[in-house]
Amino acid sequence: MGLHRTLLAFSLYLALTNATAFSPTDVMPLAPWAKITMGVQSLVSLLILGLVVARAVNVLA
């Protein structure tokens, strides 16, 4: 069961870093918890960027 979790964390982290450029693609964390933490950090930064852009569009419109 541990190998499947490790492969899932690796696959999700790799997909996230390839889909968004807001996370370090040249640094690969080894622990699954580190991959999940860095993935969540990348998603949060993408969400904040989306909110800032939406606010700017709302102010200009």
Side-chain angles (χ1 to χ4, degrees):
M1 189 68 153
L3 179 62
H4 294 293
R5 284 187 184 174
T6 303
L7 288 176
L8 179 65
F10 175 75
S11 298
L12 287 175
Y13 179 75
L14 186 63
L16 185 65
T17 56
N18 286 336
T20 62
F22 297 107
S23 56
T25 56
D26 59 341
V27 177
M28 272 302 218
L30 297 177
W33 63 268
K35 291 177 185 177
I36 293 169
T37 304
M38 290 178 72
V40 168
Q41 183 181 14
S42 177
L43 286 174
V44 168
S45 67
L46 187 61
L47 176 71
I48 290 173
L49 178 66
L51 290 174
V52 168
V53 169
R55 177 71 178 172
V57 168
N58 189 25
V59 168
L60 294 175

